[in-house]
Amino acid sequence: MAESKAKGSANPERHKLPIKSILVTQPQPTTDNSPYLSIAEKYDIKVDFRAFIEVEPVPFKEFRKDKVDILSHTAVIFTSRNAVDHFFRICQESKIEMPADMKYFCISDQTAYYLQKYITLRKRKLFVGEKTAKDLFEVIKKHKNEKFLFPCSNIRKDDIPEFLQANKIKHSEAIIYKTVAADLSDLDDVTYDCIAFFSPSGISSLFINFPDFKQNNTRIAAFGPTTAKAVRDAGLELDVEAPLPNAPSMTGAIEVYIQNQKLEAKK
């Protein structure tokens, strides 16, 4: 990626420069109502999308080595669509049919709705958090006698396993897919005024692809505290941190930054 000479080294004067291009480190939206497209139109900004991480399936033979007995569990915790997809892939390859009394704990309504792609949901067997893992903890506490299976990636947050251990809840982890850095070599000669990150894995991918990345005038945006920490740990300066009290989304936080720039320019 352009401006790639040394880690960190952000230009303190970069805040005075208008943002005219943004790289969103996520896949291209499948709909035309993306809030990023609204920002692009409203402020005449070029917005590109490029996933910095990719998901690879854990082969069935590799999964078997962990000796996880799916049917010995009475409940499954899902935190993403990827977890749902790869869990049922493993079930299919294992020739396992999920029993009707299996309970499912989903981190959000979105994940719960996606689960219907694979099973017919019964309300008494489905439990949903509002959005975060902490919300789901309160639900799990009411079902402490279940034996939980947590299908996850090789890179995952510690919050759910730590909660289950701290509360002495029986559980197993099953690594069913891997999160790896995408090949970004085609971005080598491209410069963006702002790069928006959504996970520590995205930051890792940046430096795997461009080990000598230099921030210079690029503004770095991060969603969530773990991503923000990864930005700082990498020696970069964080310019836009989401969510904010008045801007719960990444696009909202970026727009606040742009508006503050315009106010400063008028002074």
Side-chain angles (χ1 to χ4, degrees), residues 63 66-77 87 96 98-99 101-104 145-151 164 169-174:
F63 170 78
D66 292 334
K67 297 181 180 180
V68 175
D69 182 2
I70 293 175
L71 294 180
S72 70
H73 299 81
T74 60
V76 186
I77 299 173
F87 175 77
I96 289 175
M98 298 303 289
D101 60 351
M102 181 67 74
K103 295 178 181 177
Y104 301 93
N145 294 326
E146 304 293 339
K147 184 178 181 182
F148 288 87
L149 179 62
F150 179 37
L164 295 171
I169 298 174
K170 293 181 180 179
H171 67 283
S172 305
E173 284 188 41

Side-chain angles (χ1 to χ4, degrees), residues 110-129:
Q110 185 180 26
T111 305
Y113 180 79
Y114 189 73
L115 186 58
Q116 296 180 76
K117 177 180 177 181
Y118 295 96
I119 60 172
T120 301
L121 295 178
R122 295 177 174 84
K123 287 186 177 181
R124 61 190 178 87
K125 301 299 179 184
L126 177 65
F127 307 90
V128 185

Side-chain angles (χ1 to χ4, degrees), residues 68 70 72-88 91 98 101-108 111-112 114-115 119 121 125-153 156-177:
V68 175
I70 293 175
S72 70
H73 299 81
T74 60
V76 186
I77 299 173
F78 289 118
T79 59
S80 70
R81 291 185 177 189
N82 282 326
V84 173
D85 282 336
H86 288 283
F87 175 77
F88 284 99
C91 287
M98 298 303 289
D101 60 351
M102 181 67 74
K103 295 178 181 177
Y104 301 93
F105 291 74
C106 297
I107 198 166
S108 66
T111 305
Y114 189 73
L115 186 58
I119 60 172
L121 295 178
K125 301 299 179 184
L126 177 65
F127 307 90
V128 185
E130 290 183 14
K131 193 172 183 181
T132 67
K134 190 172 291 187
D135 298 328
L136 192 59
F137 294 164
E138 298 305 314
V139 181
I140 293 175
K141 281 181 181 179
K142 299 176 183 178
H143 301 270
K144 292 184 65 172
N145 294 326
E146 304 293 339
K147 184 178 181 182
F148 288 87
L149 179 62
F150 179 37
C152 59
S153 166
R156 53 103 177 114
K157 294 181 180 180
D158 296 330
D159 47 5
I160 290 178
E162 287 179 353
F163 166 79
L164 295 171
Q165 291 170 10
N167 288 273
K168 298 181 180 179
I169 298 174
K170 293 181 180 179
H171 67 283
S172 305
E173 284 188 41
I175 297 176
I176 55 173
Y177 65 99

Side-chain angles (χ1 to χ4, degrees), residues 4 10-11 26-27 42 47 51 62 91 99-100 104 149 157-158 164 191 201 227:
S4 305
N11 177 10
Q26 289 186 326
K42 184 175 180 180
V47 178
E62 185 175 333
C91 287
Y104 301 93
L149 179 62
K157 294 181 180 180
D158 296 330
L164 295 171
T191 302
S201 299
T227 309

Side-chain angles (χ1 to χ4, degrees), residues 160-225:
I160 290 178
E162 287 179 353
F163 166 79
L164 295 171
Q165 291 170 10
N167 288 273
K168 298 181 180 179
I169 298 174
K170 293 181 180 179
H171 67 283
S172 305
E173 284 188 41
I175 297 176
I176 55 173
Y177 65 99
K178 296 179 180 180
T179 305
V180 299
D183 180 3
L184 306 174
S185 55
D186 58 305
L187 294 177
D188 192 41
D189 295 322
V190 181
T191 302
Y192 289 90
D193 296 323
C194 178
I195 307 177
F197 292 95
F198 300 84
S199 71
S201 299
I203 304 297
S204 297
S205 179
L206 172 68
F207 285 103
I208 288 172
N209 280 276
F210 311 107
D212 298 322
F213 175 79
K214 187 176 180 181
Q215 188 172 354
N216 287 343
N217 294 327
T218 300
R219 269 54 59 89
I220 301 294
F223 190 89

Side-chain angles (χ1 to χ4, degrees), residues 9-17 216-217 219 237 239 257:
S9 303
N11 177 10
E13 297 296 310
R14 66 192 183 282
H15 299 293
K16 298 178 181 179
L17 302 173
N216 287 343
N217 294 327
R219 269 54 59 89
E237 290 190 27
D239 304 293
Y257 179 88

